[in-house]
Amino acid sequence: MDFGLSQDQELLQQSAAEFLVAECPPTLVREVARGGDGYPRALYRKMAELGWMGLVVPEQHGGSGLGMLDLALLCEQLGRAVVPGPFFSSAVLATLAILHGGASAQRKRWLPRLASGEAVGTLALLEESDRLDAAGVAMRARKRGGTWTLSGSKLFVTDAHVADLLVVACRTGGRNEEGVTLFLVPRETPGVTVLPLPSIDVTRRTTEVRFEHVELPADAVLGSPGRGWRTVARVRDAAAVLLAADSLGGAQRALELAVEYSKVREQFGRVIGSFQAVKHLAAEMVSEIEPARALVWYAAYAADALPREAPRAASMAKACLSDVYSRVANRAVQIHGGIGFTWEHDLHFWFKRAKWNELAFGDATWHRERVATLAKL
């Protein structure tokens, strides 16, 4: 592995950072968080024009055909700017599910639309048990003749309220990994109801999706019936890596906000950044962020180049960054003092996103236990 970035990757990183500073300032994040559906369409049109929605989509389907490390670098910048909206649910979850599990016709139909931003997708996986393994998929789909019928509900589905397409995990037989089938469900299908759920992260919207005798044609199955879990597992690992990347960018920005504040806030006639206790907090933040970067880059690299190592690398990165982002955001709030808790100050966007990232697709404990299991400890 080359431990440095290529010139193209450095250019992607720099151009994304500059674009988001100009197009997604905290004032826009605040405006989106205050109301509406949480989907800044004008910003997303510009992001789509830059090719961000289809970064890992093959060129024959309208994408750029880049790899997971490129996508991780982009997600780091999105996390740094706490970009609101459905990028993670659409450009990551739905796109990768169709890319890895879809038949040729399904890729041809959906990937160009997702890559261009014409369509928004999401993944409906979790249920009441909140389990991330195959045993957590209990919602049933039954086949009669040439038609599938879905009944049940999915929880914590991100951005389903603005999605055109839901990738839904159902049980069609067997136990655990056997018998899990993925379905492509247009949101406007009769019987599909999307209900908002409260979420700590105001930059992302979470929903419950109910399916009441939703009838689908046979070609709504993503890939083959009963073989959907392999796709889910791969998307779950990719989600862990890219949330870790988002957390890395967010932690870096929270550190910068804290340092900037410590240089102007005065106490006892001195800027607070001159106090040893504040310096210690900042030093601890730096010492946690920099080593974590190597874990994220390695996990993204492994996703493309080291398939046997990829699950363990993904869990190691997610476990580390879940803790790092939360601790860094917490210390940033401490340096800000009381103002750090208020709605009026921007820091709470990063603090709340850290909490969402910490729990989504497995918290640190879940991923550490998985690392131990994969290592047969």
Side-chain angles (χ1 to χ4, degrees), residues 196-219:
L197 291 176
S199 174
I200 187 172
D201 182 7
V202 293
T203 65
R204 298 188 180 108
R205 302 297 169 90
T206 303
T207 67
E208 174 185 359
V209 184
R210 295 177 182 173
F211 302 85
E212 298 179 14
H213 304 290
V214 175
E215 294 190 354
L216 300 170
D219 63 3

Side-chain angles (χ1 to χ4, degrees), residues 158 199 201 204 206 243 352-360:
T158 52
S199 174
D201 182 7
R204 298 188 180 108
T206 303
L243 282 176
K352 292 170 181 174
R353 187 133 159 170
K355 291 300 179 187
W356 196 94
N357 284 5
E358 179 182 353
L359 299 175

Side-chain angles (χ1 to χ4, degrees), residues 10 39 116 171 190 208 215 242 283:
E10 290 178 349
Y39 180 14
S116 67
R171 185 157 297 283
E208 174 185 359
E215 294 190 354
L242 297 170

Side-chain angles (χ1 to χ4, degrees), residues 21 92 101 112 224 235 278 367:
V21 166
V92 174
S224 303
V235 172
V278 175
H367 281 285

